[in-house]
Amino acid sequence: MQEYGDGETLPPLRIGVAGLGNVGATLVRILQKDGAELTKKLGRQLVVTAVAARSRSRDRGIDITNLDWFDDPVALAKSEGIDLFVELIGGEDGPAFAAVKAALEIGRPVVTANKALLAKHGLTLARMAEESGAQLGFEAAVAGGIPVIKTLREGLGSARIAKVFGIMNGTCNYILTRMGNEDISFADCLKDAQALGYAEADPTFDVEGFDTAHKLSILATLCFGYEIAPDKIRVEGISRITQHDIKVAADLGYKIKLLGIAQRTDDGIEQRVHPTFVPKGSAIAGVDGVMNAVALETDHVHELLLAGPGAGGPPTASSVLSDILDIARGTRVPPLGVPSHELMPYREAPMRAHEGGYYIRLNAKDVPGALAAITTRMGERNISIDSVIQRSDLSAKAVAPDGSPTRTVVMITQQTLESSVRESLAQIAADGFIVGEPQLIRIETL
Amino acid sequence: MQEYGDGETLPPLRIGVAGLGNVGATLVRILQKDGAELTKKLGRQLVVTAVAARSRSRDRGIDITNLDWFDDPVALAKSEGIDLFVELIGGEDGPAFAAVKAALEIGRPVVTANKALLAKHGLTLARMAEESGAQLGFEAAVAGGIPVIKTLREGLGSARIAKVFGIMNGTCNYILTRMGNEDISFADCLKDAQALGYAEADPTFDVEGFDTAHKLSILATLCFGYEIAPDKIRVEGISRITQHDIKVAADLGYKIKLLGIAQRTDDGIEQRVHPTFVPKGSAIAGVDGVMNAVALETDHVHELLLAGPGAGGPPTASSVLSDILDIARGTRVPPLGVPSHELMPYREAPMRAHEGGYYIRLNAKDVPGALAAITTRMGERNISIDSVIQRSDLSAKAVAPDGSPTRTVVMITQQTLESSVRESLAQIAADGFIVGEPQLIRIETL
């Protein structure tokens, strides 16, 4: 048993796994099944020696009878019987946080797939890891099976990143893809996604964009060298997307995707999560179903796109394992890309001029002068309208509170400031020519 | 100046660069300009101390007056004044091979962007590196700015790869993309590509698929653990692709891409390079222009797609730099993914049943019974024809040697064996009903 390149014999790496859900059980299975092949690759044996979970007796399709059992993940994290602690419990606080801290405090390397934990406590944990000399891996925390953390921490050489954006939530992408392929409403599609296990019973966290925001905040720190700031993100989900939006997008040559976008500006960092029109022929538009993708725009590399499965036991376990292999090899990288004392305090950019146009869908009262009044208000804010689309086949049959019929109007603007669009819409609402909340979707040329 | 996580002070890493073309000059510029930022990230200084190139006086936009100059790259590789040797000379033999060997022999780490060198001598070089304990990095050798080597060597955990395929030549992808967007012939498009610097004066190596084959052979070894076998690849280029092919592909919902494909089969490894029909909506179809992409199909991660710039000074230099950073950090990975003595002797799979159909374009004599005779021959080999397409607007106005007019016939087959298609075409040619060489393009569902 030799490490590559020198004569030293390395002892087996003893791994403790806390959390035996889908990912944890898959990881244990892979390590038990593919152990010999991994040893060949690595020159060092990897052995799961201990586990912690809620139920000892649950059938997970793996044999844990020969492993040390812990009811308390903190006790496992501190146990003398392991060299590396894997946290797959989940949750931003509670036992996951306590156990990860306990391991890092004593200089024990940690691998976690927990994006909520990283978004909230990543800076604290990175500092602890640096102080005690422990490694902290979290490849699986963002975009499941896609090696985006490694690419950002190690793979881009000197490339200075200007913008990162991506599809980071499989639930949303599944729903939007199906809505694009079939004439099905958001609500019905969500029900199917829940039945298929692609969406949680309470889907808010996914469909309203918060999960994407967590992941984006971690990527933004690795990209730009600022402290993690999950609370400085404008977040908008997909629950208000209708078939009307999807179909007009298709007519115009776009697909709608929920993107997380972070970019470096002269005034600081801009982070946002929202549904976006992306051009149909673009690589990111081809990322469908439960797939994820992350695109990086750099000074040197132009654009790099990484696409793959964003969730699921095997892809996520494979990412956890790639962190384990790095630690077994002795690879040393600061958890957040640069030593944490080099991270800059977060600087939030004011919402800047959005480069690209807007899709605006309104329910306008079907009365003479309504459209003229609406477009006049937009003209007052210097918003140029590229096209006005009225598709009677898609138009919702609504009636205003005053009894007048309404028709759905879609306007596509040229490049303009988001603030101008929002101000003009507020005035249009005050004028009384529209009913309900307008739909506003950004168009990105990418 | 401290390495992350321990108290040890590391001396600056002294770098010698052989070859100051576009990539070499860009690398020196980045190291001179971004040195401070890299030092912050790495905790260790990177300094170019010496260079070798053909002309000392040529203006490259960088200041080399303070660097040690070598006329002979081998002397630079062995010089006491450097800790790491970067080979950017190119060529599969000659000074590049001699210099890389000279460095590895004395245990000095090497970074190279030279795919031809790796395809031909990769195994020899990996063995030398392992014997002397030197690291050997070649991220830039495949798909320029895309971190595919790192992903394969380190990033996929346990994932067992079943298939790798990709667009690995920017010249070909530029030509095929333009032919898809404009009504322009291969020959005219190639001329433009040459004028724009996207194609060499002698374009054979690129457009006939040999460059893709070199890269594929390196990826196949990293994916499957067999010795590198660049000579065991069926290679077909794009020079026979016509507007007819492009337009029929578009009608049927496909784009034509030059793919390198390697896959693991029960009978060994299959490696091939050829133009391919790929479905328009797929992520790889969205990879246009000079962009490259590599897709990995694994047992655990399903499909992973990495897309980005395949060439150009800055992206390639950035990949070279990511190897330099890894070496500066002390990362240790076997050059070919597993220790070279663990690589299996190459086992070539017989060309197996191609999963998917074929596009066949023929110039058939416009005489009664021709089509019946052709389709009968195909039926004899159990080839099911999905559709027969005759677009008179695209049909070449050709005349057979016997004076009879011809018309272009396109047939799309259902899934069948390539050997059956080739045998039936040989018989059809012998029957005398077609003129010229048929065009045969594989359809991949991906």
Side-chain angles (χ1 to χ4, degrees):
Chain A
M1 207 66 36
Q2 295 202 325
E3 193 189 17
Y4 158 68
D6 58 24
E8 215 181 303
T9 297
L10 284 170
L13 186 80
R14 297 166 308 162
I15 300 165
V17 181
L20 291 177
N22 186 10
V23 177
T26 307
L27 176 69
V28 172
R29 183 163 42 243
I30 292 172
L31 284 167
Q32 289 176 342
K33 200 179 97 258
D34 301 341
E37 202 159 327
L38 290 166
T39 300
K40 219 164 76 174
K41 198 166 167 177
L42 194 63
R44 182 173 187 184
Q45 225 185 323
L46 302 176
V47 199
V48 179
T49 52
V51 290
R54 256 177 291 191
S55 153
R56 190 166 185 173
S57 56
R58 203 183 120 197
D59 181 16
R60 302 173 174 94
I62 49 171
D63 181 7
I64 57 168
T65 48
N66 291 323
L67 309 181
D68 290 338
W69 174 266
F70 287 81
D71 290 309
D72 174 14
V74 176
L76 169 59
K78 292 199 257 189
S79 147
E80 285 300 313
I82 65 169
D83 305 305
L84 184 157
F85 177 65
V86 179
E87 184 275 304
L88 299 169
I89 303 164
E92 62 183 22
D93 288 303
F97 186 37
V100 169
K101 275 197 300 189
L104 294 177
E105 257 162 20
I106 55 170
R108 178 162 294 159
V110 170
V111 175
T112 174
N114 190 333
K115 66 242 170 185
L117 174 71
L118 264 295
K120 184 162 180 194
H121 299 295
L123 193 59
T124 306
L125 297 175
R127 280 189 190 130
M128 288 179 68
E130 287 161 16
E131 268 162 32
S132 70
Q135 288 298 100
L136 172 59
F138 49 91
E139 184 61 83
V142 179
I146 306 174
V148 61
I149 303 296
K150 178 176 270 289
T151 297
L152 286 172
R153 291 207 301 204
E154 308 167 28
L156 288 179
S158 70
R160 192 178 137 99
I161 294 166
K163 185 175 181 179
V164 56
F165 63 92
I167 296 169
M168 291 177 257
N169 184 277
T171 308
C172 291
N173 206 42
Y174 168 81
I175 292 174
L176 292 173
T177 301
R178 269 205 65 194
M179 288 179 72
N181 293 338
E182 300 165 44
D183 193 358
I184 183 174
S185 71
F186 169 81
D188 287 343
C189 203
L190 175 59
K191 265 181 229 149
D192 283 0
Q194 285 169 323
L196 287 163
Y198 294 159
E200 307 278 341
D202 176 0
T204 313
F205 195 69
D206 289 315
V207 300
E208 296 306 348
F210 302 115
D211 173 73
T212 301
H214 276 162
K215 294 165 178 168
L216 183 67
S217 70
I218 298 168
L219 293 185
T221 287
L222 288 168
C223 288
F224 308 125
Y226 286 83
E227 291 175 358
I228 308 177
D231 301 331
K232 305 292 188 194
I233 305 182
R234 291 188 53 159
V235 183
E236 199 183 310
I238 63 164
S239 58
R240 291 186 63 234
I241 300 290
T242 66
Q243 274 296 332
H244 195 121
D245 303 329
I246 298 266
K247 282 175 182 150
V248 173
D251 283 352
L252 295 168
Y254 293 94
K255 280 189 186 183
I256 301 179
K257 295 289 185 189
L258 181 74
L259 296 188
I261 303 174
Q263 63 197 113
R264 192 197 287 272
T265 77
D266 290 342
D267 307 317
I269 301 301
E270 185 183 308
Q271 298 182 95
R272 50 200 164 92
V273 173
H274 53 67
T276 314
F277 275 40
V278 299
K280 250 185 205 169
S282 64
I284 204 151
V287 177
D288 278 336
V290 292
M291 296 277 282
N292 279 18
V294 177
L296 305 166
E297 283 178 18
T298 69
D299 295 353
H300 300 141
V301 190
H302 314 292
E303 189 177 312
L304 197 66
L305 180 83
L306 312 177
T316 310
S318 179
S319 282
V320 169
L321 192 54
S322 88
D323 282 337
I324 294 175
L325 292 174
D326 276 347
I327 290 168
R329 275 185 204 111
T331 301
R332 302 192 69 77
V333 195
L336 299 175
V338 295
S340 54
H341 62 85
E342 300 278 6
L343 291 172
M344 294 169 279
Y346 191 76
R347 199 156 71 95
E348 187 178 7
M351 206 60 185
R352 51 170 216 140
H354 175 71
E355 291 181 34
Y358 281 84
Y359 161 97
I360 301 166
R361 173 169 53 78
L362 307 163
N363 270 337
K365 286 190 194 166
D366 200 4
V367 294
L371 193 58
I374 289 167
T375 52
T376 302
R377 285 300 189 195
M378 304 196 69
E380 286 167 8
R381 302 268 167 186
N382 288 317
I383 300 168
S384 299
I385 296 170
D386 235 24
S387 52
V388 175
I389 301 160
Q390 300 198 19
R391 275 189 54 170
S392 53
D393 57 320
L394 297 175
S395 191
K397 306 274 177 289
V399 172
D402 65 7
S404 51
T406 68
R407 59 194 305 175
T408 309
V409 177
V410 168
M411 287 177 293
I412 306 297
T413 76
Q414 289 182 11
Q415 192 168 321
T416 183
L417 288 166
E418 173 157 349
S419 54
S420 305
V421 175
R422 295 204 177 269
E423 285 160 15
S424 72
L425 288 175
Q427 274 191 309
I428 290 164
D431 290 343
F433 283 113
I434 61 169
V435 178
E437 187 75 10
Q439 173 75 297
L440 191 62
I441 306 178
R442 290 163 194 79
I443 301 172
E444 298 261 348
T445 48
L446 300 178
Chain B
M1 207 65 36
Q2 295 202 323
E3 192 190 18
Y4 158 68
D6 58 25
E8 216 181 303
T9 297
L10 285 170
L13 186 81
R14 299 166 307 162
I15 300 164
V17 180
L20 291 177
N22 187 10
V23 176
T26 306
L27 177 69
V28 172
R29 183 164 42 245
I30 292 172
L31 284 168
Q32 288 177 343
K33 200 180 100 257
D34 301 342
E37 202 158 327
L38 289 167
T39 301
K40 220 164 75 174
K41 199 165 165 178
L42 195 62
R44 181 174 187 183
Q45 227 184 321
L46 302 177
V47 199
V48 178
T49 53
V51 291
R54 255 176 292 191
S55 153
R56 191 168 185 171
S57 56
R58 202 182 122 199
D59 181 16
R60 302 173 173 95
I62 50 171
D63 183 7
I64 57 167
T65 48
N66 291 322
L67 308 181
D68 291 337
W69 175 266
F70 288 80
D71 289 309
D72 173 15
V74 175
L76 169 58
K78 293 199 257 189
S79 147
E80 283 301 310
I82 64 168
D83 305 305
L84 185 155
F85 177 65
V86 179
E87 184 275 304
L88 300 169
I89 303 164
E92 62 183 22
D93 288 302
F97 186 37
V100 169
K101 273 197 299 188
L104 293 178
E105 257 162 21
I106 55 169
R108 178 161 293 158
V110 170
V111 175
T112 174
N114 189 334
K115 65 242 170 188
L117 175 71
L118 264 296
K120 183 161 181 194
H121 300 294
L123 193 60
T124 306
L125 297 175
R127 279 188 190 131
M128 289 180 68
E130 286 162 14
E131 270 163 33
S132 71
Q135 287 298 103
L136 172 60
F138 50 90
E139 184 61 80
V142 179
I146 305 175
V148 62
I149 303 295
K150 180 177 268 290
T151 297
L152 286 172
R153 290 208 301 204
E154 306 167 29
L156 287 180
S158 69
R160 190 178 139 99
I161 295 166
K163 184 174 181 179
V164 55
F165 63 93
I167 296 169
M168 291 177 257
N169 183 277
T171 307
C172 291
N173 206 41
Y174 169 82
I175 291 173
L176 292 173
T177 301
R178 268 203 67 195
M179 287 178 72
N181 294 336
E182 299 165 45
D183 193 358
I184 182 174
S185 72
F186 169 80
D188 287 343
C189 203
L190 175 60
K191 266 182 228 150
D192 282 2
Q194 286 169 322
L196 287 163
Y198 294 157
E200 307 279 340
D202 177 358
T204 313
F205 196 69
D206 289 315
V207 302
E208 296 306 347
F210 302 114
D211 174 72
T212 300
H214 276 163
K215 294 165 179 168
L216 182 68
S217 70
I218 299 168
L219 293 185
T221 287
L222 288 168
C223 288
F224 308 125
Y226 286 82
E227 292 177 357
I228 308 177
D231 302 331
K232 304 293 187 194
I233 306 183
R234 290 189 52 157
V235 183
E236 197 185 310
I238 63 164
S239 58
R240 291 186 64 235
I241 300 289
T242 65
Q243 274 296 331
H244 196 119
D245 304 328
I246 299 265
K247 282 175 182 149
V248 172
D251 283 352
L252 295 169
Y254 293 93
K255 281 190 183 182
I256 301 179
K257 297 288 186 189
L258 182 74
L259 297 188
I261 303 174
Q263 62 197 111
R264 191 199 287 272
T265 77
D266 290 342
D267 307 315
I269 301 300
E270 183 184 309
Q271 299 182 94
R272 48 199 166 93
V273 172
H274 53 67
T276 314
F277 275 39
V278 299
K280 250 185 203 168
S282 65
I284 204 150
V287 176
D288 278 336
V290 292
M291 297 277 281
N292 279 18
V294 178
L296 306 167
E297 283 179 16
T298 70
D299 294 352
H300 299 141
V301 190
H302 312 292
E303 189 176 311
L304 198 66
L305 180 84
L306 313 178
T316 311
S318 180
S319 282
V320 169
L321 192 54
S322 88
D323 281 338
I324 295 175
L325 292 174
D326 276 347
I327 290 168
R329 276 186 205 111
T331 301
R332 302 191 72 77
V333 195
L336 298 176
V338 295
S340 53
H341 62 85
E342 299 279 6
L343 290 172
M344 293 169 280
Y346 190 76
R347 199 156 71 94
E348 187 178 9
M351 206 60 185
R352 50 170 217 140
H354 175 70
E355 291 181 33
Y358 282 83
Y359 162 98
I360 301 166
R361 173 169 53 79
L362 307 162
N363 270 338
K365 287 191 192 165
D366 200 5
V367 294
L371 193 59
I374 290 167
T375 50
T376 302
R377 285 299 189 196
M378 305 195 68
E380 285 167 8
R381 302 267 166 186
N382 287 318
I383 300 168
S384 299
I385 295 170
D386 234 23
S387 51
V388 175
I389 300 161
Q390 300 200 19
R391 274 188 56 170
S392 52
D393 58 319
L394 297 174
S395 191
K397 306 272 175 293
V399 171
D402 64 8
S404 51
T406 68
R407 58 195 304 175
T408 309
V409 177
V410 168
M411 287 177 293
I412 307 296
T413 76
Q414 288 183 11
Q415 192 168 319
T416 183
L417 287 167
E418 174 157 349
S419 54
S420 305
V421 175
R422 295 207 178 267
E423 285 160 16
S424 71
L425 288 175
Q427 274 191 307
I428 290 164
D431 291 342
F433 283 112
I434 61 171
V435 178
E437 187 74 9
Q439 172 75 299
L440 190 62
I441 306 178
R442 288 162 196 80
I443 302 172
E444 297 262 347
T445 48
L446 299 179

